[in-house]
Amino acid sequence: MPTRILGIETSCDETAAGVVEDGRTVLSNVIASQSELHAQYGGVFPEMASRAHVQLVYQVIDAALKQAHVALRDIDAIAVTRGPGLVGSLVVGMNAAKGLALGSGLPLLGINHLEGHLYSLWLTSAVRSIKFPVLALIVSGGHTELVLATGHLEYQRLGGTLDDAAGEAFDKVGRLLGMPYPAGAHMERAAQRGNPDAFNFPRAWMDDSWDFSFSGLKTAVARAVKSPALASSAAKTPRPKELPVDDLAASFQAAAIDVLAEKTAQAAEKFKARGILIAGGVSANRLLRSEIEDRAGKVPVYAPPQALCTDNAAMIAAAAHQRLAAGHADDLTMDVLPTWPLAT
Ligand code: KG4
Ligand code: ZN
């Protein structure tokens, strides 16, 4: 008999539910994005996010069950994102999951959102033959984590960002350049048209550590945008106030990805990783994928399909499958953990 898990994800600004069979087959993956709601604020407005989750969560769960052609009685466990994330948003998903678990008697599992991003890879067939240890780069709007997985559910954290997350930097720079939130995909498109060598933006190598920093890069772009040199060169164009957006985006992207790709490849070599996994919203970026592949030599590199890069609940169910198989279960007194690290 297949094992079917209902996943629920409300850690940030996506209300999501999905059903996954045996940790690998997505029967449904419903995502109600709130990005339009938050775009007017240029970023996620936490209270609005919680309220939208309250309105959407049961509709989304219902849609996920319907699309999977299953009822709650066909489900074996309920998985929910326990953290990290926005406290008010996490609580909505957690309480919805508890209500369903209480009513149905099904086991309840609280899943780390970052573990979910990692196990989004197991929803693709190529990765299932991967051998440990595996190096994982989790890059999203809230996180930039370099992690060594020594086995299923066993992690050693190597480093992470000391300030802005990689996706956050894409979003903030995109905002400076007049793009809507979330800006990552817009930035990538603009960068494809631009010259990555137009501006020599700084790379924070953070020598002797596996940590990252993107705030200096973001500030450098802000300074370039305001610089008189740029204003005068821009003034030669027919539209005086127009910035060289594509060149700025391409040069920013090149600097951010240079550091991400180089450190990932170096860590893979140092820790003799037998595979590299990239996950999280920024892993949708084609340049990031290709730069890591180019620098990783013979080490195979895996990234999720585009639809599973950004926040979704299928990935939460996929991670829960591993946890359920390992005998994990939580109880109804479980609280959310807004700053829960994947590993220490
Ligand atoms: O994983 P995710 O949906 O949410 C968090 O857990 O934070 O990631 C969203 C982030 C946003 O910052 C978004 O701008 C970024 O991923 N992103 C991208 C691309 N697509 C999404 N960043 C760079 N290039 C992309 N193509
Ligand atoms: Zn995420």
Side-chain angles (χ1 to χ4, degrees):
M1 277 290 280
T3 303
R4 295 195 190 104
I5 298 186
L6 169 67
I8 301 169
E9 151 66 42
T10 63
S11 67
C12 191
D13 59 343
E14 254 95 37
T15 317
V19 179
V20 171
E21 200 168 83
D22 294 332
R24 53 173 64 189
T25 310
V26 180
L27 299 187
S28 67
N29 189 21
V30 178
I31 304 169
S33 172
Q34 305 173 8
S35 54
E36 267 177 40
L37 177 70
H38 299 288
Q40 57 188 306
Y41 307 105
V44 179
F45 189 146
E47 188 184 323
M48 300 285 277
S50 314
R51 287 164 180 252
H53 287 310
V54 168
Q55 288 174 338
L56 291 165
V57 71
Y58 280 110
Q59 289 174 47
V60 168
I61 291 169
D62 200 38
L65 292 170
K66 285 207 173 92
Q67 282 186 23
H69 301 291
V70 295
L72 213 47
R73 65 175 173 278
D74 306 311
I75 297 289
D76 297 281
I78 299 188
V80 62
T81 305
R82 186 179 185 185
L86 300 169
V87 62
S89 290
L90 289 166
V91 161
V92 179
M94 177 61 76
N95 280 341
K98 283 185 181 180
L100 291 176
L102 186 64
S104 62
L106 289 171
L108 175 68
L109 291 107
I111 300 297
N112 186 301
H113 180 82
L114 302 174
E115 187 165 83
H117 274 303
L118 251 184
Y119 277 94
S120 66
L121 270 303
W122 267 262
L123 297 169
T124 65
S125 54
V127 86
R128 288 180 206 134
S129 53
I130 202 168
K131 303 270 189 306
F132 291 96
V134 164
L135 189 88
L137 175 72
I138 306 170
V139 264
S140 71
H143 303 277
T144 304
E145 297 280 302
L146 205 50
V147 172
L148 189 69
T150 48
H152 275 298
L153 310 174
E154 285 168 18
Y155 317 106
Q156 185 189 333
R157 183 180 188 269
L158 303 179
T161 184
L162 301 179
D163 39 58
D164 291 344
E168 189 181 0
F170 269 89
D171 292 338
K172 287 179 175 170
V173 168
R175 192 178 181 189
L176 279 173
L177 302 181
M179 295 171 194
Y181 170 85
H186 300 279
M187 285 286 287
E188 181 176 12
R189 275 195 295 277
Q192 276 160 359
R193 299 186 294 261
N195 171 9
D197 300 319
F199 297 87
N200 187 16
F201 288 136
R203 275 96 166 130
W205 291 110
M206 315 296 289
D207 290 336
D208 302 323
S209 90
W210 300 110
D211 287 329
F212 300 93
S213 165
F214 295 103
S215 71
L217 171 58
K218 174 195 67 189
T219 308
V221 180
R223 219 177 289 128
V225 165
K226 290 187 195 122
S227 77
L230 201 59
S232 62
S233 77
K236 288 179 202 141
T237 67
R239 281 175 287 172
K241 286 204 177 119
E242 194 177 297
L243 288 165
V245 166
D246 296 349
D247 287 350
L248 285 162
S251 303
F252 160 82
Q253 182 180 258
I257 286 177
D258 191 9
V259 179
L260 286 167
E262 190 58 33
K263 292 194 111 161
T264 302
Q266 280 180 15
E269 194 184 336
K270 164 112 183 137
F271 295 97
K272 302 191 170 37
R274 300 177 73 184
I276 295 176
L277 304 181
I278 49 176
V282 185
S283 71
N285 189 289
R286 287 170 195 81
L287 185 70
L288 178 67
R289 293 178 180 210
S290 66
E291 284 295 315
I292 293 179
E293 275 162 12
D294 288 351
R295 297 176 203 209
K298 291 203 181 83
V299 184
V301 179
Y302 304 91
Q306 298 272 329
L308 293 173
C309 288
T310 45
D311 289 350
N312 64 87
M315 69 184 197
I316 301 301
H321 179 83
Q322 292 291 335
R323 293 229 160 249
L324 194 68
H328 293 241
D330 292 295
D331 63 44
L332 293 172
T333 60
M334 163 171 57
D335 194 5
V336 297
L337 298 172
T339 58
W340 192 12
L342 178 60
T344 45

